[in-house]
Structure formats: C-alpha cells, structure tokens
Amino acid sequence: AVAYQEMSEIERTDFEISEAALVRDVIYCCQGIDGHHVRYSIKDDGYVVDQHVGVPASARELLRKLCELGWLFRRVRSVLSTHPVLPGPESVVSSTASMAKTGSVAQ
C-alpha cells in the first residue's frame, strides 16, 4: 500500500479534468491554437499538457501524439509566411523546389 501511495504521488493516475476538455484542447491544437490545458512549448518543440494538471502519463503521451498535427500546421504556416506561394500548381512546385535548394525547408 505504501509503494502504491508513493507511485501515485510521483505519477498522477487520475484525471482532474474531463475528457471533453482535453478533446476540445486537441481540436484547438490541430488548428495551431493553444488550448486551456494543452499548450505549445518552445522548449519541447511541441504541444504538451500543463504539468500542474492531473493527467496520467499514458494520456499525456497520447495527447502529444494527437497534437502533432498542430505542430505540423505551425511549421507549414511558418514556412508559408516567410515564402509566399503564388496561386497555381506550377508555382507551388517551383516555390517548393526553390525553398529546397536554398535550404529553407526544415528537414
């Protein structure tokens, strides 16, 4: 019983917030918007659940994976804001090729 109590103090195993609130934050993150409990971390270069919120580690990892779409959205938006693309499929290909040649596309 003591070991379980120590483990629960180290790793939270209960949900302090509802799944609906977490799903809402994931939807925000997929649009590149910080949620109430899930926010973009420059240090981690991705979306993370606020450490002060009681969410089990497995759920935190699942949320991180779901929010990778938001991370990708932010990266694409960043590249497009620095290298605007002209309308039309030919210009998209030539613009992407020129960004790749100059090394401005993140690998």
Side-chain angles (χ1 to χ4, degrees), residues 2-85:
V2 174
Y4 178 76
Q5 184 178 9
E6 289 175 359
M7 184 197 77
S8 65
E9 290 174 4
I10 294 171
E11 178 186 338
R12 303 189 103 150
T13 57
D14 60 335
F15 282 91
E16 288 182 359
I17 58 175
S18 69
E19 287 184 22
L22 291 174
V23 169
R24 182 187 64 231
D25 280 4
V26 168
I27 292 170
Y28 285 149
C29 293
C30 289
Q31 300 174 58
I33 304 168
D34 286 348
H36 187 69
H37 304 288
V38 183
R39 295 193 172 100
Y40 184 78
S41 167
I42 295 172
K43 179 183 134 201
D44 297 324
D45 190 28
Y47 285 93
V48 294
V49 180
D50 185 7
Q51 293 193 355
H52 302 295
V53 175
V55 175
S58 59
R60 286 178 186 273
E61 181 64 18
L62 178 62
L63 289 167
R64 186 190 63 77
K65 289 179 180 181
L66 289 172
C67 291
E68 283 182 5
L69 179 61
W71 174 85
L72 181 61
F73 178 84
R74 289 175 67 102
R75 297 290 300 255
V76 169
R77 185 175 59 188
S78 170
V79 169
L80 290 178
S81 68
T82 57
H83 301 285
V85 178

Side-chain angles (χ1 to χ4, degrees), residues 85-86 88-99:
V85 178
L86 301 173
E90 298 83 19
S91 61
V92 171
V93 172
S94 65
S95 177
T96 306
S98 68
M99 287 189 294

